[in-house]
Amino acid sequence: MTHSIKITKVAQSKASEVDFYNITMGTRFTDHMFVCDYENGTWHNPRIEPLALIPTHPAAMALHYGQAIFEGMKATLGTDGTPLLFRPDENAKRLNHSADRMGMPSFPEDLFVEALKQFTALEKEWIPTQEGSALYLRPFMYADEPFIGMRAATSFKFIVMGSPAGPFFSRKIKLYAEKKYVRAVNGGTGEAKAAGNYAAAIRPTEYAKAKGYDQVLWLDAQDFEYIQEVGTMNVFFKIAGKFITPDLSGSILAGITRMSVIDILRDKGFEVTERPIRISEIIEASENGTLEEAFGAGTAVGIAMVEEIGNNDFCIQLPESNPVSVMVNNTLNAIKVQEEEDKFGWIVAAR
């Protein structure tokens, strides 16, 4: 299906005001936003317009009942200067998976991809060029119907905005294995990219940071034994030459970077197993010397190498050398800027 997207440009871009060598994701925003409205059972009026405040009724249902979901992805520049997207079709599918779980309407996947292509092409000069940097794209949907009452909303907005970003972590990170608070349970909303999941994680993350850690390593809600994921990423462990990562049990987000890392590792000849992983298994592997590497994988962070996992009961120190983690990170980054062959067909040009 061909979608007609109305475009209204700003008179003067603000990109020239930004120091792209000193940027923090989420603090500066591009000139435009894509907006589409859902009313009377259909999505209509897709448009790109100057970034502006959104008039919102105080009774907007997202504010009271949490019908809000989002995606995260990055745009880069290819070797010829073409803006590139990384697997936008997978983000479209995941958004609709989240929408279904949260009682929200699906968004046309072809319109999702086309909107991102046109938006990114328009905001090309906002894409940083230095290694590890990108234009972070935030598609999101929320219930804007003014109504106080417990039911699914009938009107929604879908918006795409952009924020230039430098590397998220420029050093190895420390993870706090949380054994009081929980992120998600089977049957809950953990596998959806719902805004409320992240709200529930804010306070525990602040506690972890106060203890000297960077993020929380979430464990299962029943026994605090099985590893789920990290605050902003999925997690991988290399034990005795083989990789393991928690399986998608229903409480873990299906990361786009996660699935890409699995493909890269297998393509390079590594065995990768998706299965339940006990924290006690990681402790044992550390003690007997078979724990070789650990890293997080996510859109915002890319590949974040782990140097320590601990809490009040234990402390795991990872080896200093991370050869496979470095390889995965370099491969992903090279594919995203066309410096390495995209044998997987992940890259979509935004023209």
Side-chain angles (χ1 to χ4, degrees):
M1 180 184 294
T2 301
H3 296 277
S4 177
I5 299 175
K6 180 182 178 181
I7 298 179
T8 304
K9 298 181 181 180
V10 296
Q12 180 66 42
S13 173
K14 295 182 179 180
S16 60
E17 302 173 5
V18 179
D19 177 6
F20 286 101
Y21 290 90
N22 184 29
I23 47 177
T24 301
M25 188 182 79
T27 58
R28 295 296 302 262
F29 301 95
T30 65
D31 298 313
H32 302 89
M33 60 183 182
F34 171 86
V35 185
C36 195
D37 305 302
Y38 182 86
E39 296 173 319
N40 300 319
T42 61
W43 289 100
H44 67 97
N45 192 22
R47 60 204 185 271
I48 294 175
E49 58 191 27
L51 183 73
L53 299 180
I54 309 167
T56 302
H57 194 284
M61 294 181 71
L63 301 178
H64 300 270
Y65 305 106
Q67 277 191 299
I69 59 176
F70 66 92
E71 279 296 313
M73 49 201 308
K74 286 182 175 179
T76 52
L77 291 175
T79 53
D80 63 352
T82 299
L84 305 174
L85 299 171
F86 184 77
R87 310 189 75 173
D89 54 323
E90 294 295 340
N91 290 95
K93 293 175 185 176
R94 191 173 64 179
L95 179 94
N96 282 338
H97 179 79
S98 298
D100 180 70
R101 177 61 185 86
M102 301 301 291
M104 303 167 74
S106 61
F107 191 80
E109 292 180 12
D110 57 341
L111 177 55
F112 180 101
V113 174
E114 183 60 28
L116 282 163
K117 289 169 67 175
Q118 293 195 32
F119 176 83
T120 303
L122 182 62
E123 305 290 53
K124 175 181 176 179
E125 59 186 306
W126 285 89
I127 303 176
T129 57
Q130 55 268 44
E131 183 178 356
S133 298
L135 176 60
Y136 183 82
L137 302 173
R138 173 52 64 89
F140 65 101
M141 184 197 304
Y142 69 98
D144 65 348
E145 179 187 358
F147 178 76
I148 299 296
M150 187 56 189
R151 62 161 172 77
T154 61
S155 68
F156 297 84
K157 270 190 169 53
F158 174 81
I159 297 174
V160 178
M161 57 193 296
S163 175
F168 199 93
F169 287 118
S170 56
R171 54 175 176 76
K172 294 182 180 180
I173 63 172
K174 298 180 179 181
L175 304 179
Y176 182 79
E178 179 59 64
K179 288 200 169 185
K180 177 181 178 181
Y181 299 100
V182 300
R183 172 191 170 273
V185 298
N186 288 346
T189 61
E191 63 179 356
K193 204 163 177 63
N197 292 344
Y198 298 84
I202 290 174
R203 180 57 71 190
T205 301
E206 291 301 310
Y207 288 150
K209 289 181 178 179
K211 296 175 185 289
Y213 295 87
D214 297 291
Q215 291 204 5
V216 171
L217 177 67
W218 296 104
L219 305 176
D220 73 278
Q222 182 174 351
D223 301 314
F224 293 97
E225 175 64 17
Y226 289 96
I227 293 171
Q228 292 189 335
E229 60 183 77
V230 183
T232 59
M233 50 192 164
N234 299 109
V235 65
F236 289 78
F237 301 94
K238 182 169 177 271
I239 298 177
K242 301 177 182 179
F243 280 90
I244 56 175
T245 189
D247 61 323
L248 303 178
S249 61
S251 59
I252 297 173
L253 187 70
I256 311 300
T257 306
R258 173 188 182 275
M259 68 172 72
S260 305
V261 167
I262 291 173
D263 287 344
I264 289 173
L265 287 172
R266 288 175 175 164
D267 181 67
K268 298 294 185 180
F270 291 96
E271 181 179 324
V272 184
T273 303
E274 302 172 68
R275 63 170 174 81
I277 302 172
R278 292 178 177 270
I279 188 65
S280 57
E281 176 184 355
I282 304 304
I283 295 172
E284 180 182 356
S286 175
E287 291 174 346
N288 65 29
T290 58
L291 178 62
E292 297 166 349
E293 297 185 46
F295 63 85
T299 295
V301 301
I303 301 299
M305 297 161 208
V306 178
E307 68 171 337
E308 181 181 315
I309 303 171
N311 59 21
N312 296 332
D313 301 321
F314 66 88
C315 180
I316 299 171
Q317 295 288 339
L318 276 296
E320 291 187 10
S321 178
N322 306 91
V324 183
S325 306
V326 171
M327 178 276 294
V328 171
N329 184 61
N330 291 344
T331 300
L332 269 174
N333 287 339
I335 291 173
K336 290 178 180 179
V337 296
Q338 295 179 321
E339 291 179 354
E340 185 167 323
E341 178 190 359
D342 176 24
K343 63 172 69 175
F344 304 100
W346 291 337
I347 301 300
V348 175
R351 302 182 192 275

